[in-house]
Amino acid sequence: MKAAEVRTQSADQMNDELAKLKKEQFNLRFQKATGQLEKTARVKEIRRDIARIKTIARQKAAESKA
């Protein structure tokens, strides 16, 4: 997910996407623990997407207060 895509989303859409990513991260952790994880790079992608969404949400919140 690109930062430009996230910036066009509303706060509700970002929260929905964040919840979806956290659920996927949870599932990937279980797959790793049981030895069923095939795409190990996906863990890193998910972690970065979560951080990207949180960062942009924080920036938007700061802009609205200023």
Side-chain angles (χ1 to χ4, degrees):
M1 175 177 294
K2 301 274 185 191
E5 295 172 13
V6 177
R7 289 187 197 283
T8 61
Q9 295 179 346
S10 68
D12 288 336
Q13 289 173 325
M14 282 194 282
N15 287 335
D16 291 343
E17 185 69 23
L18 187 61
K20 187 183 90 172
L21 289 170
K22 285 189 174 205
K23 188 173 186 177
E24 186 175 351
Q25 184 183 37
F26 179 79
N27 290 332
L28 289 173
R29 277 198 314 246
F30 265 88
Q31 287 178 11
K32 183 178 180 186
T34 59
Q36 297 174 347
L37 184 61
E38 293 179 9
K39 294 183 180 179
T40 56
R42 185 71 179 139
V43 175
K44 185 176 180 180
E45 289 174 15
I46 295 293
R47 193 173 68 240
R48 287 185 175 185
D49 285 346
I50 289 171
R52 189 173 292 123
I53 289 173
K54 284 184 173 183
T55 300
I56 293 171
R58 207 173 309 118
Q59 287 173 348
K60 283 187 174 186
E63 288 173 3
S64 66
K65 289 182 182 179

